[in-house]
Amino acid sequence: MITLLSFFGVLFILVVVHEFGHFFVAKKSGMRVDEFGFGLPPRAWGKKIGETLYSINWLPLGGFVKIFGEEAGEVGKGSFSSKPWYLRGAVIIAGPIMNFILAVAILSVLFTKGIWIPTTDVRIAEIMPGSPAQSAGLKPSDIIRSIEVEDGTSYRVQLTSDVSKYTNQYKGKKIALTVSRDGTMRTIAVTPRVNPPKGQGALGISISQTVFTKVAWYKAPYEGVKNALILSREFYKELGRALFHLAKFENPQIAVTGPVGIAKITGSAAQSGIETLSLFLALFSLNLFLINLLPFPALDGGQLVFIIIEAIRGKSISSSIKQKVNTIGFALLISMMILITLNDIRGLLK
């Protein structure tokens, strides 16, 4: 029950914040908003206030704002299609921007309390007594940048799994770790154990890609924006890396989860406390911001591409072409969601 309530609570907040962005800017731009809906049709409940119908729909996965003239291209007073391209673009981008603002706001509050946040650095969290790492002089908080082996081959460390992979691969052989300590780069030679004690790795360290950060309230907004931008950069870097591997017909080795997996994660976060759930909400909101900006049909980024093309051409793209492209994009998204959800369910049944 906690899992379901927390999942739908998080989903409701994210959807309402996102759609409110579209709604608010559309209204301020003089457009007529016919419906503001949570969930996808069929409709379960609706109430009309002014010119807008506010509805709750039976499929609680997403939401929508129906703006007059956006889909069929109708013209007239309050029509989306009658407005200048920059106002239409502002309406489209306002939804993702609201998700970004929500993420920054939550992160800013959490920074005043102190939180563990994801980082790109692979950091030593703990060193086991009597381990090769302790004998070599490695210290907690050292950031591992690269691993060099005896033949001179150097491996860049970007993930915690990189450390495990290469230390296990070169057990019993001397390797050199390049670490950053207090802003200074050091090279430390160490030999991974062939038969480490149970529960310990070859080096005898635990590693993490999180860092505890706490700042004064007046510095919190800066940290919130900075970390949101850093995470955004890493998201697109990883997406680019995955697409590059797919183009080469290789396994992109990227973890993807759907509604079932997200619900499970949300439930775990809720049971861990309000701060953990809040951090999850912030990161989820940031992901929605980033995903929706992708230039893919049916996403906000895809709609923005149409508007930019129209601005360059100086004339509108046919509504029928837009509808066909968006229908194909929506079908692909739904198909992908179904496949990912089936994979999530299979994982739960194992």
Short mmCIF file of all heavy atoms in Angstrom, two decimals, residues 22-76:
data_model
loop_
_atom_site.label_atom_id
_atom_site.label_comp_id
_atom_site.label_asym_id
_atom_site.label_seq_id
_atom_site.Cartn_x
_atom_site.Cartn_y
_atom_site.Cartn_z
N HIS A 22 2.71 24.11 -19.11
CA HIS A 22 2.04 24.32 -20.39
C HIS A 22 0.80 25.22 -20.22
O HIS A 22 0.58 26.17 -20.98
CB HIS A 22 1.58 22.99 -20.99
CG HIS A 22 2.69 22.05 -21.35
ND1 HIS A 22 3.78 22.43 -22.11
CD2 HIS A 22 2.88 20.73 -21.09
CE1 HIS A 22 4.59 21.40 -22.30
NE2 HIS A 22 4.06 20.36 -21.68
N PHE A 23 -0.01 24.87 -19.21
CA PHE A 23 -1.27 25.57 -18.95
C PHE A 23 -1.04 27.05 -18.65
O PHE A 23 -1.69 27.93 -19.24
CB PHE A 23 -1.96 24.88 -17.76
CG PHE A 23 -3.18 25.57 -17.24
CD1 PHE A 23 -4.42 25.35 -17.84
CD2 PHE A 23 -3.11 26.43 -16.16
CE1 PHE A 23 -5.56 25.99 -17.35
CE2 PHE A 23 -4.24 27.07 -15.68
CZ PHE A 23 -5.47 26.85 -16.27
N PHE A 24 -0.12 27.34 -17.75
CA PHE A 24 0.11 28.72 -17.30
C PHE A 24 0.58 29.61 -18.44
O PHE A 24 0.06 30.71 -18.65
CB PHE A 24 1.13 28.72 -16.15
CG PHE A 24 1.44 30.09 -15.62
CD1 PHE A 24 0.57 30.72 -14.75
CD2 PHE A 24 2.61 30.76 -16.00
CE1 PHE A 24 0.85 31.99 -14.25
CE2 PHE A 24 2.90 32.02 -15.51
CZ PHE A 24 2.01 32.64 -14.64
N VAL A 25 1.58 29.14 -19.19
CA VAL A 25 2.13 29.95 -20.28
C VAL A 25 1.11 30.10 -21.40
O VAL A 25 1.02 31.17 -22.03
CB VAL A 25 3.45 29.35 -20.80
CG1 VAL A 25 3.99 30.14 -21.99
CG2 VAL A 25 4.49 29.34 -19.69
N ALA A 26 0.33 29.04 -21.66
CA ALA A 26 -0.72 29.14 -22.69
C ALA A 26 -1.73 30.21 -22.31
O ALA A 26 -2.12 31.04 -23.15
CB ALA A 26 -1.41 27.79 -22.86
N LYS A 27 -2.16 30.19 -21.06
CA LYS A 27 -3.13 31.19 -20.59
C LYS A 27 -2.55 32.60 -20.69
O LYS A 27 -3.22 33.53 -21.16
CB LYS A 27 -3.51 30.89 -19.14
CG LYS A 27 -4.46 29.74 -18.96
CD LYS A 27 -5.89 30.17 -19.28
CE LYS A 27 -6.91 29.17 -18.79
NZ LYS A 27 -8.29 29.59 -19.09
N LYS A 28 -1.30 32.76 -20.25
CA LYS A 28 -0.66 34.07 -20.28
C LYS A 28 -0.42 34.55 -21.72
O LYS A 28 -0.29 35.75 -21.95
CB LYS A 28 0.67 34.03 -19.52
CG LYS A 28 0.52 33.92 -18.01
CD LYS A 28 -0.16 35.16 -17.44
CE LYS A 28 -0.29 35.10 -15.93
NZ LYS A 28 -0.97 36.30 -15.38
N SER A 29 -0.37 33.61 -22.65
CA SER A 29 -0.16 33.96 -24.06
C SER A 29 -1.47 34.20 -24.79
O SER A 29 -1.47 34.42 -26.01
CB SER A 29 0.63 32.85 -24.76
OG SER A 29 1.88 32.64 -24.14
N GLY A 30 -2.58 34.15 -24.06
CA GLY A 30 -3.88 34.41 -24.67
C GLY A 30 -4.48 33.23 -25.40
O GLY A 30 -5.35 33.40 -26.27
N MET A 31 -4.04 32.02 -25.08
CA MET A 31 -4.59 30.83 -25.73
C MET A 31 -5.73 30.26 -24.91
O MET A 31 -5.76 30.39 -23.69
CB MET A 31 -3.49 29.77 -25.90
CG MET A 31 -2.32 30.23 -26.74
SD MET A 31 -1.02 28.97 -26.84
CE MET A 31 0.32 29.93 -27.58
N ARG A 32 -6.65 29.61 -25.58
CA ARG A 32 -7.78 28.98 -24.90
C ARG A 32 -7.43 27.55 -24.53
O ARG A 32 -7.14 26.73 -25.42
CB ARG A 32 -9.01 29.00 -25.80
CG ARG A 32 -10.30 28.62 -25.06
CD ARG A 32 -11.46 28.57 -26.04
NE ARG A 32 -11.55 27.27 -26.69
CZ ARG A 32 -12.19 27.06 -27.84
NH1 ARG A 32 -12.75 28.06 -28.48
NH2 ARG A 32 -12.25 25.84 -28.36
N VAL A 33 -7.45 27.24 -23.25
CA VAL A 33 -7.15 25.88 -22.79
C VAL A 33 -8.48 25.17 -22.54
O VAL A 33 -9.24 25.54 -21.65
CB VAL A 33 -6.31 25.90 -21.50
CG1 VAL A 33 -6.03 24.46 -21.04
CG2 VAL A 33 -4.99 26.64 -21.73
N ASP A 34 -8.77 24.15 -23.33
CA ASP A 34 -10.05 23.45 -23.25
C ASP A 34 -10.09 22.40 -22.14
O ASP A 34 -11.15 22.16 -21.56
CB ASP A 34 -10.38 22.78 -24.59
CG ASP A 34 -10.65 23.80 -25.69
OD1 ASP A 34 -11.12 24.90 -25.36
OD2 ASP A 34 -10.38 23.49 -26.86
N GLU A 35 -8.93 21.76 -21.87
CA GLU A 35 -8.92 20.72 -20.83
C GLU A 35 -7.54 20.60 -20.20
O GLU A 35 -6.52 20.71 -20.86
CB GLU A 35 -9.35 19.37 -21.40
CG GLU A 35 -9.51 18.27 -20.35
CD GLU A 35 -10.12 16.99 -20.92
OE1 GLU A 35 -10.46 16.97 -22.12
OE2 GLU A 35 -10.26 16.01 -20.15
N PHE A 36 -7.56 20.38 -18.88
CA PHE A 36 -6.35 20.09 -18.10
C PHE A 36 -6.61 18.73 -17.46
O PHE A 36 -7.43 18.62 -16.55
CB PHE A 36 -6.15 21.18 -17.04
CG PHE A 36 -4.86 21.06 -16.25
CD1 PHE A 36 -3.97 22.11 -16.23
CD2 PHE A 36 -4.56 19.92 -15.52
CE1 PHE A 36 -2.78 22.03 -15.49
CE2 PHE A 36 -3.38 19.82 -14.79
CZ PHE A 36 -2.49 20.89 -14.78
N GLY A 37 -5.93 17.71 -17.95
CA GLY A 37 -6.23 16.36 -17.49
C GLY A 37 -5.08 15.65 -16.82
O GLY A 37 -3.94 15.73 -17.28
N PHE A 38 -5.40 14.94 -15.72
CA PHE A 38 -4.43 14.03 -15.09
C PHE A 38 -4.78 12.62 -15.52
O PHE A 38 -5.93 12.19 -15.42
CB PHE A 38 -4.49 14.14 -13.57
CG PHE A 38 -3.63 13.11 -12.88
CD1 PHE A 38 -2.25 13.25 -12.86
CD2 PHE A 38 -4.20 12.00 -12.28
CE1 PHE A 38 -1.44 12.29 -12.25
CE2 PHE A 38 -3.40 11.04 -11.66
CZ PHE A 38 -2.03 11.19 -11.65
N GLY A 39 -3.77 11.88 -16.02
CA GLY A 39 -4.02 10.55 -16.55
C GLY A 39 -4.46 10.64 -18.00
O GLY A 39 -4.62 11.72 -18.56
N LEU A 40 -4.65 9.48 -18.61
CA LEU A 40 -5.05 9.40 -20.01
C LEU A 40 -6.47 8.85 -20.11
O LEU A 40 -6.89 8.04 -19.28
CB LEU A 40 -4.08 8.51 -20.78
CG LEU A 40 -2.60 8.97 -20.76
CD1 LEU A 40 -1.73 7.97 -21.51
CD2 LEU A 40 -2.45 10.37 -21.36
N PRO A 41 -7.26 9.31 -21.13
CA PRO A 41 -8.65 8.85 -21.29
C PRO A 41 -8.75 7.34 -21.35
O PRO A 41 -7.77 6.68 -21.71
CB PRO A 41 -9.07 9.51 -22.60
CG PRO A 41 -8.16 10.70 -22.74
CD PRO A 41 -6.84 10.25 -22.16
N PRO A 42 -9.94 6.79 -20.99
CA PRO A 42 -11.23 7.47 -20.80
C PRO A 42 -11.33 8.26 -19.49
O PRO A 42 -10.63 7.96 -18.53
CB PRO A 42 -12.24 6.32 -20.81
CG PRO A 42 -11.44 5.13 -20.35
CD PRO A 42 -10.06 5.32 -20.89
N ARG A 43 -12.22 9.24 -19.51
CA ARG A 43 -12.38 10.16 -18.38
C ARG A 43 -13.13 9.50 -17.23
O ARG A 43 -14.14 8.82 -17.42
CB ARG A 43 -13.12 11.41 -18.85
CG ARG A 43 -13.21 12.52 -17.80
CD ARG A 43 -13.97 13.72 -18.34
NE ARG A 43 -13.29 14.24 -19.52
CZ ARG A 43 -13.91 14.82 -20.53
NH1 ARG A 43 -15.23 14.92 -20.52
NH2 ARG A 43 -13.22 15.28 -21.55
N ALA A 44 -12.64 9.72 -16.02
CA ALA A 44 -13.30 9.21 -14.82
C ALA A 44 -14.12 10.30 -14.13
O ALA A 44 -15.17 10.04 -13.55
CB ALA A 44 -12.27 8.64 -13.85
N TRP A 45 -13.61 11.53 -14.20
CA TRP A 45 -14.29 12.66 -13.53
C TRP A 45 -13.86 13.95 -14.19
O TRP A 45 -12.73 14.06 -14.69
CB TRP A 45 -13.91 12.67 -12.05
CG TRP A 45 -14.40 13.88 -11.30
CD1 TRP A 45 -15.59 14.04 -10.67
CD2 TRP A 45 -13.69 15.13 -11.11
NE1 TRP A 45 -15.69 15.29 -10.10
CE2 TRP A 45 -14.52 15.98 -10.36
CE3 TRP A 45 -12.45 15.60 -11.51
CZ2 TRP A 45 -14.15 17.27 -9.99
CZ3 TRP A 45 -12.07 16.89 -11.16
CH2 TRP A 45 -12.91 17.71 -10.41
N GLY A 46 -14.74 14.93 -14.22
CA GLY A 46 -14.38 16.22 -14.80
C GLY A 46 -15.25 17.33 -14.26
O GLY A 46 -16.42 17.11 -13.92
N LYS A 47 -14.65 18.51 -14.15
CA LYS A 47 -15.41 19.69 -13.70
C LYS A 47 -14.93 20.89 -14.50
O LYS A 47 -13.73 21.17 -14.56
CB LYS A 47 -15.21 19.95 -12.21
CG LYS A 47 -15.99 21.15 -11.68
CD LYS A 47 -15.83 21.29 -10.19
CE LYS A 47 -16.58 22.53 -9.67
NZ LYS A 47 -18.04 22.46 -9.92
N LYS A 48 -15.87 21.61 -15.10
CA LYS A 48 -15.52 22.77 -15.92
C LYS A 48 -15.54 24.03 -15.08
O LYS A 48 -16.53 24.33 -14.40
CB LYS A 48 -16.48 22.91 -17.10
CG LYS A 48 -16.00 23.93 -18.14
CD LYS A 48 -16.78 23.80 -19.44
CE LYS A 48 -16.17 24.72 -20.51
NZ LYS A 48 -16.87 24.58 -21.81
N ILE A 49 -14.43 24.76 -15.12
CA ILE A 49 -14.31 26.03 -14.42
C ILE A 49 -13.87 27.05 -15.46
O ILE A 49 -12.77 26.96 -16.01
CB ILE A 49 -13.29 25.97 -13.27
CG1 ILE A 49 -13.69 24.88 -12.26
CG2 ILE A 49 -13.16 27.33 -12.58
CD1 ILE A 49 -12.67 24.67 -11.16
N GLY A 50 -14.75 28.03 -15.73
CA GLY A 50 -14.45 28.97 -16.79
C GLY A 50 -14.49 28.25 -18.13
O GLY A 50 -15.43 27.51 -18.43
N GLU A 51 -13.46 28.43 -18.93
CA GLU A 51 -13.41 27.80 -20.25
C GLU A 51 -12.71 26.45 -20.24
O GLU A 51 -12.64 25.76 -21.26
CB GLU A 51 -12.70 28.73 -21.25
CG GLU A 51 -11.22 28.96 -20.91
CD GLU A 51 -10.55 29.94 -21.87
OE1 GLU A 51 -11.27 30.62 -22.62
OE2 GLU A 51 -9.30 30.00 -21.83
N THR A 52 -12.16 26.06 -19.08
CA THR A 52 -11.32 24.86 -19.00
C THR A 52 -12.00 23.74 -18.22
O THR A 52 -12.53 23.96 -17.12
CB THR A 52 -9.97 25.19 -18.34
OG1 THR A 52 -9.35 26.26 -19.05
CG2 THR A 52 -9.06 23.98 -18.35
N LEU A 53 -11.96 22.54 -18.78
CA LEU A 53 -12.44 21.34 -18.10
C LEU A 53 -11.25 20.69 -17.38
O LEU A 53 -10.23 20.38 -18.00
CB LEU A 53 -13.03 20.35 -19.10
CG LEU A 53 -13.43 18.98 -18.55
CD1 LEU A 53 -14.63 19.11 -17.62
CD2 LEU A 53 -13.74 18.01 -19.68
N TYR A 54 -11.37 20.51 -16.07
CA TYR A 54 -10.34 19.85 -15.27
C TYR A 54 -10.79 18.41 -15.05
O TYR A 54 -11.88 18.17 -14.51
CB TYR A 54 -10.13 20.57 -13.94
CG TYR A 54 -9.66 21.99 -14.12
CD1 TYR A 54 -10.58 23.03 -14.28
CD2 TYR A 54 -8.30 22.30 -14.16
CE1 TYR A 54 -10.16 24.34 -14.48
CE2 TYR A 54 -7.87 23.61 -14.35
CZ TYR A 54 -8.80 24.62 -14.51
OH TYR A 54 -8.37 25.92 -14.71
N SER A 55 -9.96 17.45 -15.49
CA SER A 55 -10.41 16.05 -15.48
C SER A 55 -9.38 15.12 -14.84
O SER A 55 -8.19 15.39 -14.81
CB SER A 55 -10.68 15.58 -16.91
OG SER A 55 -9.50 15.55 -17.67
N ILE A 56 -9.91 14.00 -14.34
CA ILE A 56 -9.09 12.87 -13.88
C ILE A 56 -9.49 11.67 -14.74
O ILE A 56 -10.68 11.39 -14.90
CB ILE A 56 -9.32 12.58 -12.39
CG1 ILE A 56 -8.86 13.76 -11.54
CG2 ILE A 56 -8.56 11.31 -11.97
CD1 ILE A 56 -9.13 13.61 -10.06
N ASN A 57 -8.51 11.01 -15.31
CA ASN A 57 -8.77 9.94 -16.28
C ASN A 57 -8.32 8.59 -15.74
O ASN A 57 -7.52 8.51 -14.80
CB ASN A 57 -8.07 10.27 -17.59
CG ASN A 57 -8.57 11.58 -18.18
OD1 ASN A 57 -9.58 11.62 -18.86
ND2 ASN A 57 -7.88 12.68 -17.90
N TRP A 58 -8.85 7.53 -16.36
CA TRP A 58 -8.68 6.18 -15.80
C TRP A 58 -7.26 5.63 -15.91
O TRP A 58 -6.87 4.80 -15.10
CB TRP A 58 -9.65 5.22 -16.47
CG TRP A 58 -11.07 5.37 -15.98
CD1 TRP A 58 -12.14 5.83 -16.68
CD2 TRP A 58 -11.54 5.06 -14.67
NE1 TRP A 58 -13.27 5.84 -15.89
CE2 TRP A 58 -12.93 5.37 -14.64
CE3 TRP A 58 -10.95 4.58 -13.50
CZ2 TRP A 58 -13.73 5.20 -13.52
CZ3 TRP A 58 -11.75 4.40 -12.37
CH2 TRP A 58 -13.11 4.71 -12.39
N LEU A 59 -6.50 6.05 -16.90
CA LEU A 59 -5.13 5.53 -17.04
C LEU A 59 -4.16 6.53 -16.39
O LEU A 59 -3.82 7.54 -17.00
CB LEU A 59 -4.78 5.32 -18.52
CG LEU A 59 -5.65 4.31 -19.28
CD1 LEU A 59 -5.26 4.27 -20.75
CD2 LEU A 59 -5.54 2.93 -18.64
N PRO A 60 -3.71 6.25 -15.17
CA PRO A 60 -2.95 7.25 -14.40
C PRO A 60 -1.47 7.30 -14.78
O PRO A 60 -0.58 7.29 -13.92
CB PRO A 60 -3.13 6.75 -12.97
CG PRO A 60 -3.21 5.27 -13.10
CD PRO A 60 -3.93 5.01 -14.41
N LEU A 61 -1.18 7.33 -16.07
CA LEU A 61 0.22 7.38 -16.53
C LEU A 61 0.40 8.61 -17.41
O LEU A 61 0.30 8.54 -18.63
CB LEU A 61 0.58 6.10 -17.30
CG LEU A 61 0.52 4.80 -16.50
CD1 LEU A 61 0.77 3.62 -17.41
CD2 LEU A 61 1.54 4.81 -15.36
N GLY A 62 0.63 9.74 -16.77
CA GLY A 62 0.82 10.97 -17.52
C GLY A 62 -0.33 11.93 -17.37
O GLY A 62 -1.16 11.81 -16.46
N GLY A 63 -0.41 12.89 -18.26
CA GLY A 63 -1.45 13.90 -18.23
C GLY A 63 -1.39 14.70 -19.52
O GLY A 63 -0.58 14.42 -20.39
N PHE A 64 -2.26 15.69 -19.63
CA PHE A 64 -2.29 16.48 -20.86
C PHE A 64 -2.97 17.82 -20.62
O PHE A 64 -3.75 17.99 -19.67
CB PHE A 64 -3.02 15.72 -21.97
CG PHE A 64 -4.47 15.43 -21.67
CD1 PHE A 64 -5.47 16.30 -22.08
CD2 PHE A 64 -4.82 14.29 -20.97
CE1 PHE A 64 -6.80 16.05 -21.80
CE2 PHE A 64 -6.15 14.01 -20.68
CZ PHE A 64 -7.14 14.90 -21.09
N VAL A 65 -2.64 18.77 -21.48
CA VAL A 65 -3.34 20.05 -21.55
C VAL A 65 -3.80 20.20 -23.00
O VAL A 65 -2.98 20.16 -23.92
CB VAL A 65 -2.42 21.23 -21.15
CG1 VAL A 65 -3.08 22.55 -21.51
CG2 VAL A 65 -2.11 21.18 -19.67
N LYS A 66 -5.12 20.29 -23.20
CA LYS A 66 -5.67 20.42 -24.55
C LYS A 66 -5.88 21.90 -24.86
O LYS A 66 -6.73 22.56 -24.27
CB LYS A 66 -6.98 19.65 -24.66
CG LYS A 66 -7.55 19.59 -26.08
CD LYS A 66 -8.88 18.87 -26.12
CE LYS A 66 -8.72 17.39 -25.82
NZ LYS A 66 -10.02 16.66 -25.96
N ILE A 67 -5.08 22.40 -25.79
CA ILE A 67 -5.13 23.81 -26.17
C ILE A 67 -5.82 23.94 -27.52
O ILE A 67 -5.48 23.21 -28.47
CB ILE A 67 -3.72 24.43 -26.23
CG1 ILE A 67 -3.00 24.22 -24.88
CG2 ILE A 67 -3.78 25.92 -26.56
CD1 ILE A 67 -1.53 24.61 -24.91
N PHE A 68 -6.76 24.84 -27.62
CA PHE A 68 -7.49 25.05 -28.86
C PHE A 68 -6.52 25.37 -30.01
O PHE A 68 -5.69 26.26 -29.90
CB PHE A 68 -8.48 26.20 -28.68
CG PHE A 68 -9.15 26.65 -29.95
CD1 PHE A 68 -9.94 25.76 -30.68
CD2 PHE A 68 -9.00 27.95 -30.42
CE1 PHE A 68 -10.57 26.17 -31.86
CE2 PHE A 68 -9.62 28.37 -31.60
CZ PHE A 68 -10.41 27.48 -32.31
N GLY A 69 -6.63 24.59 -31.10
CA GLY A 69 -5.82 24.84 -32.28
C GLY A 69 -4.45 24.20 -32.27
O GLY A 69 -3.69 24.35 -33.23
N GLU A 70 -4.12 23.43 -31.22
CA GLU A 70 -2.79 22.83 -31.18
C GLU A 70 -2.71 21.59 -32.05
O GLU A 70 -1.72 21.38 -32.76
CB GLU A 70 -2.41 22.46 -29.74
CG GLU A 70 -1.02 21.88 -29.62
CD GLU A 70 -0.63 21.50 -28.20
OE1 GLU A 70 -1.52 21.51 -27.32
OE2 GLU A 70 0.55 21.20 -27.98
N GLU A 71 -3.75 20.75 -32.05
CA GLU A 71 -3.70 19.49 -32.78
C GLU A 71 -4.21 19.63 -34.22
O GLU A 71 -3.53 19.23 -35.17
CB GLU A 71 -4.50 18.42 -32.04
CG GLU A 71 -3.86 18.01 -30.71
CD GLU A 71 -4.62 16.88 -30.05
OE1 GLU A 71 -5.61 16.39 -30.66
OE2 GLU A 71 -4.26 16.49 -28.94
N ALA A 72 -5.39 20.17 -34.37
CA ALA A 72 -5.99 20.24 -35.70
C ALA A 72 -5.64 21.52 -36.46
O ALA A 72 -6.00 21.66 -37.63
CB ALA A 72 -7.51 20.10 -35.59
N GLY A 73 -4.98 22.45 -35.78
CA GLY A 73 -4.55 23.68 -36.45
C GLY A 73 -5.65 24.69 -36.68
O GLY A 73 -5.55 25.54 -37.58
N GLU A 74 -6.73 24.62 -35.87
CA GLU A 74 -7.81 25.59 -36.03
C GLU A 74 -7.29 27.01 -35.78
O GLU A 74 -6.40 27.22 -34.97
CB GLU A 74 -8.97 25.32 -35.05
CG GLU A 74 -9.56 23.93 -35.16
CD GLU A 74 -8.99 22.97 -34.13
OE1 GLU A 74 -7.82 23.15 -33.73
OE2 GLU A 74 -9.70 22.04 -33.74
N VAL A 75 -7.86 27.96 -36.48
CA VAL A 75 -7.47 29.37 -36.31
C VAL A 75 -8.61 30.13 -35.65
O VAL A 75 -9.75 29.67 -35.62
CB VAL A 75 -7.09 30.02 -37.66
CG1 VAL A 75 -5.86 29.37 -38.24
CG2 VAL A 75 -8.26 29.96 -38.63
N GLY A 76 -8.28 31.28 -35.12
CA GLY A 76 -9.29 32.09 -34.46
C GLY A 76 -8.80 32.59 -33.12
O GLY A 76 -7.64 32.35 -32.73
#
